[in-house]
Amino acid sequence: QQQVKQSPQSLIVQKGGISIINCAYENTAFDYFPWYQQFPGKGPALLIAIRPDVSEKKEGRFTISFNKSAKQFSLHIMDSQPGDSATYFCAAGAWGKLQFGAGTQVVVTP
Amino acid sequence: EAGVVQSPRYKIIEKKQPVAFWCNPISGHNTLYWYLQNLGQGPELLIRYENEEAVDDSQLPKDRFSAERLKGVDSTLKIQPAELGDSAVYLCACSFVLEGEQYFGPGTRLTVT
């Protein structure tokens, strides 16, 4: 049973544009929502994370928006750059145990 | 600070053969995870260690998979015998504390022929 649903599966954005990836979860016990970035041949690396006591968190060009009542959260990548081309995974969990989404492949065109 | 080290990076074996993966976590990181990542999917937890104790192995197929973390540092994940469906990337991750940020290694890509 997939506890974290991620969309879209892939997206193409022009340089300077905004990339938006959405995730939905089911388990209301989840209290930690990280986003990971993965390049080919590498392990996932933490980008940004949020806990349910806030509705938004921004770090540089990356912003998480969190809607606790809807059990949804999203990643916004502002001013997308070719170096942002990667696969992005949302995750949700508690007590260190994470459930990952299926991933979104982002391609930023020059 | 050195990152998570995994070896080998790639492994090709025939079905029914045994295989082992090794992980050296970041120094001082007491929590260690083994994940399975199928192509086009997110990581799935296989087992989690707190020091040398396996605290969550509910997703580990125990008929063919085993893991150990002697002395609470390095860890080894073993498959015996391997099946075609085991072809995937096996990721090791660690965190300083139970709910801390998880740092991933580069993974071992296993191909079973």
Side-chain angles (χ1 to χ4, degrees):
Chain A
Q1 181 183 6
Q2 187 179 12
Q3 294 199 42
V4 180
K5 295 183 179 181
Q6 183 171 346
S7 63
Q9 190 174 6
S10 63
L11 68 90
I12 300 173
V13 62
Q14 285 191 330
K15 179 181 175 181
I18 302 173
S19 303
I20 302 174
I21 306 170
N22 301 298
C23 282
Y25 64 99
E26 298 177 0
N27 191 334
T28 55
F30 290 160
D31 66 357
Y32 178 60
F33 304 90
W35 285 90
Y36 284 83
Q37 179 188 57
Q38 186 175 30
F39 294 104
K42 306 290 186 182
L46 181 68
L47 259 183
I48 185 172
I50 198 169
R51 296 207 180 256
D53 53 340
V54 296
S55 60
E56 186 174 282
K57 183 175 181 179
K58 182 177 181 180
E59 289 185 0
R61 296 185 294 108
F62 301 93
T63 299
I64 297 179
S65 297
F66 183 79
N67 186 327
K68 187 175 180 178
S69 61
K71 294 187 287 185
Q72 295 176 347
F73 58 111
S74 61
L75 176 70
H76 291 62
I77 307 174
M78 313 299 287
D79 187 26
S80 295
Q81 300 296 311
D84 297 332
S85 296
T87 300
Y88 294 80
F89 294 95
C90 64
W95 293 104
K97 186 169 183 176
L98 295 178
Q99 298 280 346
F100 285 80
T104 297
Q105 186 173 15
V106 174
V107 174
V108 182
T109 59
Chain B
E1 164 178 87
V4 179
V5 179
Q6 290 189 247
S7 68
R9 291 294 316 278
Y10 305 91
K11 189 74 176 180
I12 301 174
I13 61 171
E14 293 183 345
K15 63 181 180 181
K16 300 185 181 180
Q17 294 301 306
V19 64
F21 314 123
W22 176 79
C23 173
N24 180 233
I26 297 171
S27 177
H29 283 216
N30 298 321
T31 308
L32 184 144
Y33 310 79
W34 282 103
Y35 287 90
L36 165 72
Q37 186 174 26
N38 287 305
L39 187 64
Q41 298 295 319
E44 300 171 35
L45 180 68
L46 289 172
I47 189 169
R48 180 176 64 178
Y49 282 92
E50 286 298 321
N51 298 301
E52 66 273 11
E53 181 183 0
V55 297
D56 185 352
D57 63 356
S58 57
Q59 302 302 312
L60 190 72
K62 298 180 185 62
D63 57 336
R64 297 184 300 108
F65 286 66
S66 64
E68 61 182 13
R69 191 184 184 198
L70 300 177
K71 301 181 181 178
V73 182
D74 296 2
S75 179
T76 302
L77 178 69
K78 298 178 182 178
I79 308 174
Q80 182 171 10
E83 298 179 352
L84 294 176
D86 296 331
S87 295
V89 175
Y90 291 83
L91 293 164
C92 178
C94 63
S95 61
F96 185 66
V97 293
L98 179 61
E99 293 194 317
E101 174 183 348
Q102 293 187 27
Y103 295 85
F104 283 82
T108 296
R109 180 175 295 279
L110 173 68
T111 302
V112 182
T113 63

